[in-house]
Amino acid sequence: MMKQKPIYILSIESSCDDTGAAVLCDRKVLSNVIANQEVHAKYGGVVPELASRAHQQNIVPVVQQALQLANIGKKDVNAIAFTQGPGLMGSLLVGTSFAKSLSMALEVPLIAVNHMEAHILAHFIENEEQQAPPFPFLCLTISGGHTQVVKITDYFTMEILGETIDDAVGEAFDKSAKLLGLPYPGGPLIDKCAKKGNPKKFHFTKPRVEGLNFSFSGLKTAILYFLQKNTKENPNFVEENLYDICASIQHTIVEILFDKLKKAVQQTGIKYVAIAGGVSANSAIRNKLISFEKTAGWKTYIPKFEYTTDNAGMIGIAGYYKYLQNHFSEQNITATPRLKMNKEE
Ligand code: KG4
Ligand code: ZN
């Protein structure tokens, strides 16, 4: 049989505060460049206007570096994939406009990608350590903007079984961290501090939410009151108990997530279970998922660290599968901040 020619995809991610570009050869990531935006740290959160300006500055050098590291030229690229949404309008516009112009200039197809689908499809990036999950599988997609339990029956056939009715889990981490005086984004710092603390030291009530949906805004308020009460009695309370507070908050979040994930497995009978999104970098969440292999006979899938938080590698793999299906976009496609799954607008 004749070997198929390899497909080179250049992908661009600019949905929030990181500018990413990657080059894939089929399912293999050749380069995956990310420019993190430092400007937001001092504001304690992402400032949309500053984010889009930083994307404009970063996009050309980031794309150039991705091509260089992959050791290919622009002429070798078979298609340009980009994040159409969901995300911040100003940020998405930079990536969308750039991708459209580049596809026109290079005369190659343009492929629009849904950021949330891409987080999940990151599991299909070639990985010598782990096989990709078989269909159908469940994925707990957890990021700064989303918290979803998704049933995936095919690359682009995904059904949301449950999602947050208020804050996303990443927000719960970041807002808790802010209350503790930790810089943005606080999620990774809570993870780090929690490793040295006692997760059972402090108790926070879990929300009661119907079905497979989540809620995290109550936890944030509970933490606020908890800290107000305790610092009144002891002004050094946070300082003296930081590790235990972080461990207890993280423990509560893990319990909330896995109560629902267990329920989803029970309801669907699907035991192939993955996690994806920025918060899936969390060590307690990764360990908890793995523990279900032994205790409940699940087969679990954990993404490599570099494909958890926002990156263009995941946009590239989603682009690759669309390329195989000849699923291309026209030049009149627009950035869509509230893009839904399984939809292109
Ligand atoms: O997927 P992502 O990079 O961006 C969005 O699409 O939102 O997710 C970013 C979120 C932030 O809230 C960040 O605090 C959180 O992921 N995060 C973590 C960890 N690493 C990143 N949260 C908890 N533990 C971590 N290790
Ligand atoms: Zn994301």
Side-chain angles (χ1 to χ4, degrees):
M1 211 171 74
M2 220 174 61
K3 201 168 174 295
Q4 284 228 310
K5 255 177 72 177
I7 295 157
Y8 290 95
I9 307 270
L10 171 66
S11 56
I12 291 158
E13 152 64 29
S14 73
S15 66
C16 190
D17 58 341
D18 297 328
T19 320
V23 174
L24 274 75
C25 175
D26 296 335
R27 290 172 50 230
K28 191 177 166 73
V29 173
L30 301 182
S31 63
N32 189 24
V33 180
I34 299 170
N36 296 112
Q37 301 183 359
E38 307 280 311
V39 299
H40 309 287
K42 65 172 181 274
Y43 298 98
V46 176
V47 185
E49 187 57 33
L50 295 180
S52 47
R53 252 185 266 165
H55 281 306
Q56 278 176 331
Q57 284 171 356
N58 292 340
I59 197 147
V60 172
V62 164
V63 166
Q64 266 170 350
Q65 206 187 342
L67 287 167
Q68 243 165 34
L69 289 173
N71 207 10
I72 67 161
K74 286 198 212 73
K75 284 193 299 295
D76 302 314
V77 171
N78 295 102
I80 313 284
F82 71 99
T83 309
Q84 185 193 2
L88 300 170
M89 183 49 134
S91 294
L92 290 167
L93 267 174
V94 178
T96 307
S97 323
F98 188 86
K100 281 161 75 167
S101 338
L102 196 58
S103 108
M104 199 151 46
L106 300 178
E107 297 179 333
V108 293
L110 180 66
I111 305 173
V113 170
N114 178 308
H115 182 91
M116 298 313 293
E117 293 177 7
H119 268 304
I120 296 173
L121 294 174
H123 284 281
F124 294 86
I125 290 172
E126 198 175 288
N127 178 353
E128 57 293 341
E129 284 153 35
Q130 194 175 35
Q131 296 264 310
F135 299 120
F137 69 96
L138 296 178
C139 186
L140 177 67
T141 315
I142 39 185
S143 72
H146 293 80
T147 307
Q148 303 173 329
V149 180
V150 186
K151 178 180 162 186
I152 299 98
T153 29
D154 203 351
Y155 297 107
F156 298 103
T157 312
M158 303 189 182
E159 184 192 350
I160 298 172
L161 304 179
E163 61 190 327
T164 182
I165 55 170
D166 42 54
D167 289 353
V169 63
E171 274 178 283
F173 269 109
D174 296 338
K175 287 178 180 174
S176 306
K178 199 172 175 180
L179 292 172
L180 294 170
L182 300 172
Y184 177 86
L189 296 171
I190 292 200
D191 189 356
K192 204 170 153 200
C193 294
K195 287 194 176 117
K196 299 181 194 151
N198 172 4
K200 303 260 168 81
K201 177 81 179 279
F202 303 110
H203 179 78
F204 301 104
T205 358
K206 288 188 277 175
R208 274 195 216 103
V209 190
E210 291 281 303
L212 296 176
N213 285 340
F214 302 87
S215 167
F216 287 100
S217 65
L219 178 63
K220 176 187 62 195
T221 317
I223 293 167
L224 176 68
Y225 290 152
F226 164 82
L227 293 175
Q228 279 176 347
K229 181 173 162 283
N230 284 287
T231 43
K232 215 187 226 168
E233 288 159 15
N234 170 12
N236 298 326
F237 177 75
V238 172
E239 233 169 67
E240 288 167 13
N241 296 280
L242 184 64
Y243 296 155
D244 291 338
I245 302 173
C246 286
S248 302
I249 293 174
Q250 183 170 280
H251 176 72
T252 313
I253 292 177
V254 170
E255 295 261 295
I256 296 172
L257 291 173
F258 281 91
D259 280 354
K260 297 297 173 138
L261 196 55
K262 275 191 279 185
K263 212 168 170 183
V265 170
Q266 271 162 12
Q267 280 183 14
T268 58
I270 298 170
K271 287 194 168 185
Y272 298 108
V273 189
I275 49 175
V279 184
S280 70
N282 182 273
S283 59
I285 295 174
R286 292 165 92 91
N287 291 338
K288 181 83 178 178
L289 182 68
I290 295 168
S291 75
F292 282 91
E293 295 238 345
K294 277 216 175 83
T295 58
W298 297 5
K299 179 88 185 79
T300 66
Y301 299 87
I302 293 183
K304 277 192 171 177
F305 271 109
E306 57 263 46
Y307 307 127
T308 54
T309 47
D310 290 348
N311 66 90
M314 68 186 199
I315 305 302
I317 191 77
Y320 170 70
Y321 285 107
K322 284 201 168 177
Y323 187 98
L324 294 183
Q325 298 178 1
N326 285 317
H327 192 155
F328 303 125
S329 301
E330 300 296 329
Q331 276 288 333
N332 63 2
I333 191 153
T334 52
T336 309
R338 295 185 173 274
L339 186 67
K340 298 270 184 297
M341 268 192 179
N342 295 320
K343 270 210 190 103
E344 220 170 79
E345 288 162 29

